[in-house]
Amino acid sequence: MADTMKCAVLHGVGDVRIEERPVPVPGSGEVLIKIMRVGVCGSDVHYFTHGRIGDFVITDPLVLGHECAGMIQATGPDTGRFQPGDRVAVEPGSTCRTCFYCKSGSYNLCGDVAFMGTPPVDGAFCEYVVWPEDFVFALPDAMTFEDGAMMEPLVCGLWAVHRGGVKTGDCVAVFGSGPIGLLALQAAKVAGAATLIAVDIDEFRLDFARKIGATHTVNDRDGNALEQVLEISRQVRPDFPECVGVDVAFETAGAIPTTRNTLAATRRGGVAVLVGLPPEPMVELDIVEAASKEIDIRGMFRYANRYPTGIALTLEGRVDVRSLVTHRFPLDAVRDALEFADTNKASSMKVMVEVG
Amino acid sequence: MADTMKCAVLHGVGDVRIEERPVPVPGSGEVLIKIMRVGVCGSDVHYFTHGRIGDFVITDPLVLGHECAGMIQATGPDTGRFQPGDRVAVEPGSTCRTCFYCKSGSYNLCGDVAFMGTPPVDGAFCEYVVWPEDFVFALPDAMTFEDGAMMEPLVCGLWAVHRGGVKTGDCVAVFGSGPIGLLALQAAKVAGAATLIAVDIDEFRLDFARKIGATHTVNDRDGNALEQVLEISRQVRPDFPECVGVDVAFETAGAIPTTRNTLAATRRGGVAVLVGLPPEPMVELDIVEAASKEIDIRGMFRYANRYPTGIALTLEGRVDVRSLVTHRFPLDAVRDALEFADTNKASSMKVMVEVG
Amino acid sequence: MADTMKCAVLHGVGDVRIEERPVPVPGSGEVLIKIMRVGVCGSDVHYFTHGRIGDFVITDPLVLGHECAGMIQATGPDTGRFQPGDRVAVEPGSTCRTCFYCKSGSYNLCGDVAFMGTPPVDGAFCEYVVWPEDFVFALPDAMTFEDGAMMEPLVCGLWAVHRGGVKTGDCVAVFGSGPIGLLALQAAKVAGAATLIAVDIDEFRLDFARKIGATHTVNDRDGNALEQVLEISRQVRPDFPECVGVDVAFETAGAIPTTRNTLAATRRGGVAVLVGLPPEPMVELDIVEAASKEIDIRGMFRYANRYPTGIALTLEGRVDVRSLVTHRFPLDAVRDALEFADTNKASSMKVMVEVG
Amino acid sequence: MADTMKCAVLHGVGDVRIEERPVPVPGSGEVLIKIMRVGVCGSDVHYFTHGRIGDFVITDPLVLGHECAGMIQATGPDTGRFQPGDRVAVEPGSTCRTCFYCKSGSYNLCGDVAFMGTPPVDGAFCEYVVWPEDFVFALPDAMTFEDGAMMEPLVCGLWAVHRGGVKTGDCVAVFGSGPIGLLALQAAKVAGAATLIAVDIDEFRLDFARKIGATHTVNDRDGNALEQVLEISRQVRPDFPECVGVDVAFETAGAIPTTRNTLAATRRGGVAVLVGLPPEPMVELDIVEAASKEIDIRGMFRYANRYPTGIALTLEGRVDVRSLVTHRFPLDAVRDALEFADTNKASSMKVMVEVG
């Protein structure tokens, strides 16, 4: 094993350079992971094209990438869960373990999180990463490294469904059929939803939705998705005509019209989950109608305690993460991968970087 | 007992007339209640001053009033819970008992509700009302009819706190210190909140808040209520400086700035309950920040299964409904009562109509 | 349509007679249902062989049978959900709709329930039944009457899983692989359980378990089921060796050793659901260990609000109720059906009576 | 500050010796606490009188005591929450922070806990203790060290009520009125219970119960506590005669008859919490009746995330921990304190050791 490693470093908007950096050394409780696969996330693309996401601004060179899997290369002191050679998926946010949020099981809300590929923490578009072993999870033999890298978007979907409180038999609608939308849809199916309505304006994406389990797809090209969703909800609940709208609606498109549709599509007493976020912070919403329907509007921020779940469900064939990967690039071509993901949204789903 | 009774009938904006109507006859499962006390609600005042609330328009003469208590006068067939002379509080919404919502315990969302004083259902500003006995509750000897009439706004407060999921030890803020705000505050205290922050711009109301249990009051005259609430939240949680904002925030003022403050005052992972509703349906909100904090924004619509709770808490002295009643009018003066409540918001809290 | 109908009437232990009775007339809110299929439940068999179940004693002739589906024949006054000819599944317990339990969504605990085939309420082993329409549910075209009759045991399974609080990714064990055990297993799968361990001493039943989705089967012939279940729980949670035992365990065999195993197989902080009931009321349990593990031991009594869920899941192919039906008898042979079910437990699963 | 400190060391049954030991040095993340007050717990007494509790056997000399408060004397590296001189309450169980249970907010179930005064971890009957700062909590000026030491039994009560899911308006019964029973009762009151029934056979203890908020006390001298509790539950719920028994029942006496009463006193659909544990592991229970009532039987093991809550409630005067302290002994007399607590159960409540 060499002392240095290749890294894809973002220096500014559109400026990714392959550089050599020293291989890091695992400290107490940490392991050194040889990175094998890293998925390209929308947030990676956003940093690449804008140099920032909200208050997170790239001022110093940064390694992006956080949807990763690899192999244990070495273990630091005070570790014990892994041996060199173990195949693993890596949860990319490491938290303080001692604050109010960490102690109470909501570590995703920890203020001291170090999250890969978010300034100033380097990510996984490189050959090696050091990470605390309690945020590293064994990958079963039957799962590929690519599957492992897909655990990150999958657990986003699982968390969305956890937030939504999806129950057995529910009727749900997912607005937006990108990777997160499709994984939320699958997570909703796993959680027992009987009716799964996927909404998008792109047939390429709705095809994926049909393939991974949507019972209904709605193309919003003509802007009448809301009416279609309400009509489906009526059809699937013939015994309760008074119950119009879905039990749980998910917004994953990050747009204002879909945010409004998400609230409007939710039945009285239902739940609307905001997974995507509109580009502008201030959004005009029909909050009076939403409140009068006594719905819950629930935000989400990352996830907590879902990696083992994601791995177990993938292992048992309960979700299909593999077919979402449409394009692959080598580590040297991270720049191309980011650019491709940015400019081919209508013909790609998940872009994967093959490192090892 | 006479065959006719006096009713205060709203014929149009500002037009309340005292009329004689036949005393109604209880049908199967119903009881005839001699009305004793009826509180004036903000919604009564709104119908009186505007002739409508949203889609509910007064087209035909209507008896207002729904916060009522009285005495059983007679019982219809297929009843058994009460005897003539029993003192009772009346839950003013009667539901279908067979729909999805009624069957699953959320009867407040029933689409077939008959709600007193909401078109086209006559209310309780009259001498007698017929009502299904399963929405009528025994008033203990130690409680007055006025206490009984106060159960309706109290259960609104209890429902708000139920929706907010207030837990033992919580830090809560209530924006708005009108009757509902003060009762939500008391309900939050009963549910175990340790820190109770009342916010208003009116010292008359904040005095009430202090009297009924607020641990902190914040006067928003200078528009800095948010900063004050956040600062209090920091002080009461010295061990968790990373946890800024309240666990649960309630909006009871029905205004846009307080709605925004309610979201902004809620800590990461907390809950914001919208009890009041802004006058305009479309409200511009910082939904991105709210969602990123992973908070729940929860609406509410009336209440379900809370009358026995309200009665038990009042009986045990755990809440103080009585001191909220500041003014009283006889049935003949319902018009004056409504006008007074409309024009004396800064110097009155709950206006009560004494019928029997 | 004739004025009389054929009924299979239980007159005493082992004494079932086919008799003619008047076709009942639907009252207010009721519909007349032409019965098509009725499953034989263990409770039917127990009444047939013992003349009683606990405090419920058959003193007068009784029609058994409560797992039923049929066709609307006529509708009474004040109905509106159905037309003659509609195909329906029937929820066999009709409740008061006005008590504490009914109002709060737990109508299964209503003290005034009329439950088919439980003294003194006649059941469905007959040609026609009158029932309140709010306990009758539309059967989609794609579902057979037999599917409809199977909704009753299915919703028992759904309720067990609801009580168990099964979550996405859970590891569950079901002790006992009779019809209820297998349906609880399927319901747990639908609710997202990733690991599904079926336990029985009978390979005939374990074969069914494998077919309907068990990921592991454990034969308790040698009395070491507990050790096997614990070992499987360790294997499926490689990242958490400290977490031994299943998240949720179900007892469906109604025996003391399986009840003890159910508690012992539950991990710290997990849930044990008692679906079956041991024959003796007083059971010696290691309650100290259970309490120290901080587990929940949850009983269950029938179900509430699960018919639409069961129908939706069956329609979407998410559960397989059909393959559990192993034997069929005509109405005239109800006696044979009951006797067969009693004496062929090792080679039959669900016995169905074909009425229409 | 000296290099050595006084410790009260248990060498065997009844054998407590005052010894000098080196003052410990705080490591990374740890603080050195000068102990001021330590309460005597039933478990301390049990180790003193039996030399063991279940599988925990005292083989080497051990310092008992875990209900403690003190003052920060020094801070180790990587700390930051406290300054020397800060007054603190100490949570006596320190956990691994990285296992399944710690990550998900149930750190009380962590298998790697170090719990003060439980073999082989020394406790707080000594002058100084080193402890991780994230299990140490600031004591407000208005609270005494004795109050601080009482936080431990208080949070046991809070956890019991958390486990019981006590809701606003509930009717609860607490079997056993020792310190834990009384604190569970207060915690239930704080959580909103309207009816609080304390059961014991000792009037000394029932006097305390009345003083700290019981609405009803039941003396079980004649063995008819169950009937009395059921009768009270009927009286307080006049509108729901079908609902007999309490919403939540707590067993805190650790005896078989009270365990049975706890289950029998719980209404259909209610919750029974086992706080105390019978001396024998195997207990004969009417599990069939309990399961048929669909009740939850919930165990508990210590507590998690409750110290800030306990401190906030005490500060606001919502609970009264102070009046439970009936006797005080100096550190030199720990042996006497343990013996006194053992032999004066009928005339003492909480015995406190004054160290600093």
Side-chain angles (χ1 to χ4, degrees):
Chain A
M1 187 190 152
D3 289 349
T4 63
M5 64 173 184
K6 237 188 311 190
C7 300
V9 185
L10 180 71
H11 282 259
V13 172
D15 180 8
V16 176
R17 306 176 199 165
I18 304 297
E19 302 178 355
E20 285 288 315
R21 290 188 176 182
V23 173
V25 177
S28 173
E30 294 179 334
V31 290
L32 176 68
I33 302 154
K34 179 173 161 56
I35 296 297
M36 299 300 286
R37 293 290 182 279
V38 191
V40 173
C41 174
S43 64
D44 297 316
V45 174
H46 203 276
Y47 279 123
F48 174 72
T49 55
H50 292 74
R52 68 185 300 159
I53 296 180
D55 296 340
F56 290 98
V57 183
I58 296 190
T59 51
D60 295 302
L62 184 80
V63 179
L64 295 172
H66 59 269
E67 305 177 349
C68 61
M71 192 181 286
I72 300 294
Q73 183 78 20
T75 59
D78 305 317
T79 56
R81 296 192 182 184
F82 298 105
Q83 300 296 324
D86 283 355
R87 304 164 67 254
V88 295
V90 186
E91 181 169 349
S94 166
T95 61
C96 83
R97 301 174 191 77
T98 64
C99 73
F100 170 79
Y101 293 108
C102 285
K103 283 287 186 73
S104 58
S106 303
Y107 65 72
N108 57 314
L109 303 178
C110 172
D112 278 341
V113 63
F115 200 88
M116 287 186 187
T118 300
V121 180
D122 280 323
F125 286 146
C126 62
E127 291 181 304
Y128 295 97
V129 160
V130 153
W131 209 242
E133 71 167 357
D134 57 324
F135 287 102
V136 177
F137 299 90
L139 211 49
D141 292 344
M143 286 175 64
T144 66
F145 288 115
E146 200 169 274
D147 292 341
M150 289 298 290
M151 292 302 94
E152 209 276 344
L154 173 59
V155 299
C156 288
L158 290 169
W159 192 251
V161 166
H162 163 70
R163 287 290 293 157
V166 172
K167 299 177 307 302
T168 296
D170 272 1
C171 171
V172 313
V174 181
F175 289 85
S177 297
I180 294 298
L182 294 179
L183 289 163
L185 195 89
Q186 293 196 56
K189 182 174 181 180
V190 166
T195 306
L196 297 144
I197 310 170
V199 185
D200 207 297
I201 51 172
D202 189 322
E203 277 300 316
F204 172 79
R205 290 170 179 252
L206 291 176
D207 275 344
F208 271 90
R210 276 182 282 271
K211 208 160 40 185
I212 54 87
T215 59
H216 302 74
T217 53
V218 167
N219 194 315
D220 196 23
R221 217 169 4 222
D222 301 332
N224 65 348
L226 176 60
E227 291 69 30
Q228 291 186 62
V229 170
L230 295 179
E231 178 54 26
I232 293 166
S233 80
R234 274 189 212 98
Q235 289 168 8
V236 299
R237 227 173 331 226
D239 293 306
F240 296 124
E242 70 280 7
C243 190
V244 178
V246 300
D247 297 298
V248 189
F250 297 89
E251 204 291 325
T252 73
I256 292 178
T258 45
T259 301
R260 288 183 188 145
N261 272 352
T262 299
L263 301 194
T266 305
R267 69 160 172 85
R268 269 177 284 155
V271 180
V273 184
L274 305 184
V275 184
L277 294 176
E280 304 100 298
M282 296 299 284
V283 180
E284 205 176 63
L285 296 176
D286 190 345
I287 201 73
V288 171
E289 195 218 354
S292 300
K293 289 195 302 185
E294 196 167 284
I295 70 173
D296 280 19
I297 304 171
R298 300 185 188 160
M300 69 173 260
F301 188 72
R302 294 172 184 158
Y303 40 77
N305 296 306
R306 285 300 176 284
Y307 262 72
T309 301
I311 291 170
L313 294 173
T314 306
L315 181 64
E316 293 293 343
R318 301 290 294 279
V319 292
D320 169 12
V321 296
R322 210 171 286 185
S323 72
L324 299 190
V325 182
T326 52
H327 299 81
R328 293 169 183 84
F329 293 78
L331 178 58
D332 289 339
V334 160
R335 200 202 163 285
D336 299 341
L338 291 163
E339 192 169 74
F340 181 88
D342 180 42
T343 54
N344 290 273
K345 279 174 188 149
S347 61
S348 72
M349 191 52 71
K350 175 58 71 180
V351 173
M352 185 65 59
V353 173
E354 302 184 325
V355 181
Chain B
M1 187 189 153
D3 288 351
T4 64
M5 64 175 185
K6 237 188 312 192
C7 300
V9 185
L10 180 72
H11 282 259
V13 172
D15 179 9
V16 176
R17 307 176 198 167
I18 302 298
E19 302 177 354
E20 286 288 316
R21 290 188 175 183
V23 172
V25 177
S28 172
E30 294 179 334
V31 291
L32 177 68
I33 303 155
K34 178 173 163 54
I35 296 297
M36 300 299 287
R37 292 291 181 279
V38 191
V40 173
C41 174
S43 65
D44 296 317
V45 174
H46 203 276
Y47 279 124
F48 175 72
T49 55
H50 292 74
R52 67 185 300 158
I53 296 180
D55 296 341
F56 290 98
V57 183
I58 296 191
T59 51
D60 295 301
L62 185 79
V63 178
L64 294 172
H66 59 270
E67 305 178 349
C68 60
M71 194 180 283
I72 300 293
Q73 183 78 21
T75 60
D78 305 317
T79 56
R81 296 191 182 184
F82 298 104
Q83 300 296 323
D86 284 353
R87 303 165 66 256
V88 295
V90 186
E91 180 169 349
S94 167
T95 62
C96 85
R97 302 176 191 75
T98 64
C99 73
F100 170 80
Y101 293 108
C102 285
K103 283 286 185 74
S104 57
S106 303
Y107 64 72
N108 56 314
L109 304 178
C110 172
D112 279 342
V113 62
F115 199 90
M116 287 186 186
T118 299
V121 180
D122 281 323
F125 286 146
C126 61
E127 291 181 304
Y128 294 97
V129 159
V130 153
W131 209 242
E133 71 167 355
D134 57 325
F135 288 102
V136 177
F137 299 89
L139 211 50
D141 292 344
M143 286 175 64
T144 65
F145 287 116
E146 200 169 273
D147 293 340
M150 288 299 288
M151 291 302 96
E152 209 277 343
L154 173 60
V155 300
C156 288
L158 290 169
W159 192 251
V161 166
H162 164 70
R163 286 289 293 156
V166 172
K167 299 177 307 301
T168 297
D170 272 0
C171 171
V172 313
V174 180
F175 290 85
S177 297
I180 294 297
L182 294 178
L183 290 162
L185 195 89
Q186 293 197 56
K189 181 174 181 181
V190 166
T195 305
L196 297 145
I197 310 170
V199 184
D200 207 295
I201 49 172
D202 190 321
E203 278 300 316
F204 172 78
R205 289 171 178 251
L206 291 176
D207 274 344
F208 271 90
R210 275 183 283 272
K211 207 160 41 185
I212 54 87
T215 59
H216 302 72
T217 53
V218 167
N219 194 315
D220 197 23
R221 218 171 1 223
D222 301 332
N224 66 347
L226 177 60
E227 290 69 30
Q228 291 185 62
V229 169
L230 295 180
E231 178 54 27
I232 294 166
S233 81
R234 273 189 213 97
Q235 288 167 9
V236 300
R237 226 171 335 223
D239 293 306
F240 295 124
E242 71 279 7
C243 191
V244 178
V246 300
D247 297 298
V248 188
F250 297 89
E251 205 291 325
T252 73
I256 291 178
T258 44
T259 301
R260 288 184 187 143
N261 272 352
T262 298
L263 300 194
T266 305
R267 71 160 170 84
R268 269 176 284 154
V271 179
V273 184
L274 305 183
V275 185
L277 294 177
E280 304 100 299
M282 296 298 284
V283 180
E284 205 177 61
L285 296 176
D286 189 344
I287 200 75
V288 171
E289 196 219 353
S292 299
K293 290 195 300 184
E294 197 168 285
I295 70 172
D296 280 20
I297 305 170
R298 300 185 187 159
M300 66 173 262
F301 188 71
R302 294 172 183 158
Y303 41 76
N305 296 306
R306 286 299 177 283
Y307 262 72
T309 301
I311 292 170
L313 295 172
T314 306
L315 181 64
E316 292 294 343
R318 300 290 293 280
V319 293
D320 169 12
V321 296
R322 209 170 287 185
S323 72
L324 299 190
V325 182
T326 53
H327 298 82
R328 294 171 183 83
F329 291 78
L331 179 59
D332 288 339
V334 161
R335 200 203 163 286
D336 299 340
L338 290 163
E339 192 168 73
F340 181 88
D342 180 41
T343 54
N344 290 274
K345 278 176 187 149
S347 60
S348 71
M349 191 53 70
K350 175 58 71 180
V351 172
M352 186 65 60
V353 173
E354 302 184 326
V355 180
Chain C
M1 187 190 152
D3 289 349
T4 64
M5 62 173 185
K6 234 188 314 190
C7 301
V9 186
L10 180 71
H11 282 259
V13 172
D15 179 9
V16 176
R17 306 175 199 168
I18 303 298
E19 301 177 355
E20 286 287 318
R21 290 188 175 183
V23 172
V25 177
S28 173
E30 294 179 334
V31 290
L32 177 67
I33 303 153
K34 178 172 161 55
I35 296 296
M36 298 300 287
R37 293 290 182 280
V38 192
V40 173
C41 174
S43 65
D44 297 316
V45 174
H46 203 276
Y47 279 123
F48 175 72
T49 55
H50 292 75
R52 68 186 298 159
I53 296 181
D55 295 341
F56 290 98
V57 183
I58 297 190
T59 50
D60 294 301
L62 184 80
V63 178
L64 294 172
H66 59 270
E67 305 177 350
C68 60
M71 193 180 283
I72 300 293
Q73 183 78 22
T75 59
D78 305 318
T79 57
R81 296 193 181 182
F82 298 104
Q83 300 296 324
D86 283 354
R87 304 165 65 254
V88 295
V90 186
E91 181 170 349
S94 166
T95 61
C96 84
R97 300 174 192 78
T98 64
C99 74
F100 170 80
Y101 293 107
C102 284
K103 284 285 185 75
S104 57
S106 303
Y107 65 71
N108 57 314
L109 304 178
C110 171
D112 278 341
V113 63
F115 200 89
M116 287 186 186
T118 300
V121 180
D122 279 323
F125 286 146
C126 62
E127 291 181 305
Y128 295 97
V129 159
V130 153
W131 208 242
E133 71 167 356
D134 58 325
F135 288 102
V136 177
F137 299 89
L139 210 50
D141 292 344
M143 286 175 63
T144 64
F145 288 115
E146 199 169 274
D147 292 341
M150 288 299 289
M151 291 302 95
E152 208 277 343
L154 173 60
V155 299
C156 289
L158 289 170
W159 192 250
V161 166
H162 163 70
R163 287 288 293 156
V166 172
K167 299 177 308 302
T168 297
D170 271 1
C171 171
V172 313
V174 180
F175 289 85
S177 296
I180 294 298
L182 294 178
L183 289 162
L185 195 88
Q186 293 196 58
K189 182 174 182 181
V190 166
T195 306
L196 298 144
I197 311 170
V199 185
D200 207 296
I201 50 172
D202 189 322
E203 277 301 314
F204 172 78
R205 290 171 177 250
L206 291 176
D207 274 344
F208 271 90
R210 276 183 283 269
K211 208 160 40 185
I212 54 88
T215 59
H216 301 74
T217 53
V218 167
N219 194 315
D220 197 23
R221 217 171 3 224
D222 301 333
N224 66 348
L226 176 60
E227 289 70 29
Q228 292 186 63
V229 170
L230 295 179
E231 178 54 25
I232 294 166
S233 81
R234 273 189 212 99
Q235 288 167 9
V236 299
R237 228 173 332 225
D239 293 305
F240 295 124
E242 71 279 7
C243 190
V244 178
V246 300
D247 296 299
V248 188
F250 297 89
E251 205 291 325
T252 73
I256 292 178
T258 45
T259 301
R260 287 182 187 146
N261 271 353
T262 298
L263 301 194
T266 305
R267 69 160 172 85
R268 270 176 284 154
V271 180
V273 184
L274 305 184
V275 184
L277 293 176
E280 304 100 299
M282 296 298 283
V283 180
E284 204 176 61
L285 296 176
D286 189 344
I287 200 74
V288 171
E289 196 218 354
S292 300
K293 290 195 300 185
E294 195 166 287
I295 70 173
D296 281 20
I297 305 171
R298 301 186 187 158
M300 68 174 260
F301 188 71
R302 294 172 184 158
Y303 40 76
N305 296 305
R306 286 299 177 282
Y307 262 71
T309 302
I311 291 169
L313 295 172
T314 305
L315 181 63
E316 293 293 343
R318 301 290 293 279
V319 293
D320 169 12
V321 297
R322 209 170 287 183
S323 73
L324 299 190
V325 182
T326 52
H327 298 82
R328 295 170 181 83
F329 291 79
L331 178 58
D332 289 340
V334 161
R335 199 203 163 284
D336 298 340
L338 291 163
E339 191 169 76
F340 180 87
D342 180 42
T343 54
N344 290 274
K345 279 173 188 151
S347 61
S348 71
M349 190 54 69
K350 175 58 71 180
V351 173
M352 185 65 58
V353 173
E354 303 184 324
V355 181
Chain D
M1 186 192 153
D3 289 349
T4 63
M5 63 174 185
K6 237 189 309 192
C7 299
V9 185
L10 180 71
H11 282 260
V13 172
D15 179 8
V16 177
R17 307 176 199 167
I18 303 298
E19 302 178 354
E20 285 288 315
R21 289 188 176 182
V23 172
V25 177
S28 172
E30 294 180 333
V31 291
L32 177 68
I33 302 153
K34 179 173 162 55
I35 296 297
M36 300 299 287
R37 292 291 181 280
V38 192
V40 173
C41 174
S43 65
D44 297 316
V45 174
H46 202 275
Y47 278 123
F48 174 72
T49 54
H50 292 75
R52 68 186 299 159
I53 296 180
D55 296 340
F56 290 98
V57 182
I58 296 190
T59 51
D60 295 302
L62 184 80
V63 178
L64 293 172
H66 59 270
E67 305 177 351
C68 59
M71 193 179 285
I72 300 293
Q73 183 78 20
T75 60
D78 305 318
T79 56
R81 297 192 181 183
F82 299 105
Q83 300 296 324
D86 283 355
R87 303 164 67 254
V88 295
V90 186
E91 180 169 349
S94 166
T95 61
C96 84
R97 301 174 191 77
T98 64
C99 73
F100 170 80
Y101 293 108
C102 285
K103 283 286 186 71
S104 58
S106 304
Y107 65 71
N108 57 314
L109 303 178
C110 172
D112 278 342
V113 63
F115 201 88
M116 287 185 187
T118 301
V121 180
D122 280 322
F125 286 146
C126 61
E127 291 180 305
Y128 294 97
V129 159
V130 153
W131 208 242
E133 71 167 357
D134 57 323
F135 287 103
V136 177
F137 300 90
L139 211 49
D141 293 344
M143 286 175 64
T144 66
F145 288 115
E146 199 168 275
D147 292 342
M150 289 299 288
M151 292 301 96
E152 210 276 344
L154 173 60
V155 299
C156 288
L158 290 169
W159 193 250
V161 165
H162 163 69
R163 287 288 294 158
V166 172
K167 298 178 308 303
T168 297
D170 272 0
C171 171
V172 313
V174 180
F175 289 86
S177 296
I180 295 297
L182 294 178
L183 289 163
L185 194 89
Q186 293 196 56
K189 182 174 181 181
V190 167
T195 306
L196 297 145
I197 310 169
V199 185
D200 207 295
I201 50 172
D202 189 321
E203 277 300 316
F204 171 78
R205 290 171 176 250
L206 291 176
D207 274 344
F208 272 89
R210 274 182 284 270
K211 206 160 40 185
I212 53 88
T215 59
H216 301 74
T217 53
V218 167
N219 194 315
D220 197 23
R221 217 171 1 224
D222 300 333
N224 66 347
L226 177 60
E227 290 69 29
Q228 291 186 63
V229 170
L230 296 179
E231 178 55 25
I232 294 166
S233 80
R234 272 189 213 98
Q235 288 167 9
V236 298
R237 223 166 345 217
D239 292 305
F240 295 124
E242 70 280 6
C243 190
V244 178
V246 299
D247 297 298
V248 189
F250 297 91
E251 204 292 324
T252 73
I256 292 178
T258 45
T259 301
R260 287 183 188 144
N261 271 352
T262 298
L263 301 194
T266 305
R267 70 162 169 84
R268 269 177 284 155
V271 180
V273 183
L274 305 183
V275 184
L277 293 176
E280 303 100 297
M282 297 298 284
V283 179
E284 205 176 64
L285 296 175
D286 190 344
I287 200 74
V288 171
E289 195 217 355
S292 300
K293 289 195 300 186
E294 197 168 283
I295 70 172
D296 280 19
I297 305 170
R298 299 185 187 160
M300 68 174 260
F301 187 71
R302 295 172 182 159
Y303 41 76
N305 297 306
R306 286 300 177 282
Y307 262 73
T309 302
I311 291 170
L313 295 172
T314 306
L315 181 64
E316 292 293 343
R318 302 288 294 279
V319 293
D320 169 12
V321 296
R322 209 171 286 184
S323 72
L324 299 190
V325 182
T326 52
H327 298 82
R328 294 169 183 84
F329 291 78
L331 178 60
D332 288 340
V334 161
R335 200 204 162 283
D336 298 342
L338 291 163
E339 192 168 75
F340 181 87
D342 180 41
T343 53
N344 289 274
K345 278 174 188 149
S347 60
S348 72
M349 191 52 71
K350 174 58 70 179
V351 173
M352 186 66 59
V353 173
E354 302 184 326
V355 180

